[in-house]
Amino acid sequence: LDSRDASNRIEQAKAGLAAAESQFKNAEAYYNRIKKLHEEQSATEQHLDNALTQYEATKAGASVSRNQLAEARNQLDYFNIKAPFGGFVTSRTVDVGDMGAPGAPLVTVEMQDSLKIVTTLSERDVGKVTAGQSVLVEIGKTRSQARVESVVPAGDPSTRRFKVRLVMQNEDGTLLS
C-alpha cells in the first residue's frame, strides 16, 4: 500500500523528537544551574520552582514525542501486507487506487507445497477411512500419498455421500491447485 504519508509522519515525529530532546537538555542544564545557585542562596525559590517546572514540562514533552514516533512507526506496519505463509498470488480483488475495507480480501494466495483435497465417499466406503490415515490419491496420471485430515460425520441426505478432507504433499509443485 502507498505508505508515503506514513513515512512523512515518521520524519515529522523524528524532527519533533529531536526538538523536544534539545529543549529538555537545555531545561535540564538550566535547572541544574538554578539549583546550584539556589543552594548558594544566589537564586530565589521562585526561580528554582520555575526551572523545575520547565524541566518537568520539557521532559514530558520529550516522552510524548518518543511515543508519537513509536506510534508512527507502528502505523507503517499496516501498509505492508504479508501472507502468513509462502505462496503464489492467484487472484487480486482490488486495483491500484481502490480503498481496502476491513475483512475484505485483497488477494488470494495459495501454497503449492501441500494441497488440500475435498472429496466424497459413499456411505459404504466412509467407514474405511479415519483421520490421520494415509491413502493413495490418483489425479490424472499422478499418484501420491495423502493424509486424511478429517471425515465429516454428517452425510448429504440426497446423495448419501460424506465429505473427506485430505492433505497431500506437493513440494515439487507438480500438481496445480
Side-chain angles (χ1 to χ4, degrees):
L1 301 176
D2 187 356
S3 62
R4 289 178 288 193
D5 287 344
S7 296
N8 289 341
R9 273 188 235 110
I10 289 173
E11 293 307 314
Q12 289 171 349
K14 282 180 183 178
L17 177 58
E21 285 180 340
S22 177
Q23 289 172 348
F24 170 66
K25 287 178 185 174
N26 186 39
E28 183 178 36
Y30 181 71
Y31 169 70
N32 288 332
R33 278 194 303 273
I34 296 296
K35 185 177 174 185
K36 185 176 181 195
L37 290 171
H38 181 265
E39 288 168 1
E40 297 170 353
Q41 297 183 351
S42 295
T44 66
E45 192 73 31
Q46 184 168 358
H47 283 113
L48 182 62
D49 289 344
N50 290 344
L52 179 60
T53 300
Q54 184 180 2
Y55 167 77
E56 289 176 348
T58 57
K59 183 177 181 181
S63 178
V64 167
S65 292
R66 271 190 290 284
N67 290 338
Q68 287 173 339
L69 177 57
E71 183 180 334
R73 285 182 172 148
N74 288 339
Q75 289 293 321
L76 191 60
D77 288 343
Y78 290 110
F79 290 88
N80 296 314
I81 300 168
K82 297 176 186 173
F85 54 85
F88 299 93
V89 174
T90 58
S91 69
R92 192 176 54 160
T93 56
V94 293
D95 292 317
V96 173
D98 287 353
M99 291 290 289
L106 303 174
V107 295
T108 301
V109 179
E110 292 184 5
M111 290 189 328
Q112 298 292 320
D113 59 342
S114 70
L115 300 174
K116 288 195 176 194
I117 301 167
V118 179
T119 188
T120 60
L121 290 177
S122 69
E123 190 173 21
R124 178 175 44 96
D125 294 331
V126 75
K128 298 177 184 176
V129 296
T130 58
Q133 180 181 356
S134 182
V135 295
L136 182 64
V137 174
E138 187 175 317
I139 300 174
K141 295 182 181 184
T142 303
R143 299 179 97 193
S144 184
Q145 291 292 318
R147 180 181 51 80
V148 177
E149 186 176 67
S150 66
V151 178
V152 177
D156 183 327
S158 60
T159 62
R160 300 179 67 102
R161 296 186 68 80
F162 294 78
K163 281 188 182 179
V164 179
R165 293 185 176 95
L166 310 169
V167 176
M168 186 171 72
Q169 295 306 310
N170 186 39
E171 287 92 3
D172 59 359
T174 322
L175 295 172
L176 304 176
S177 63

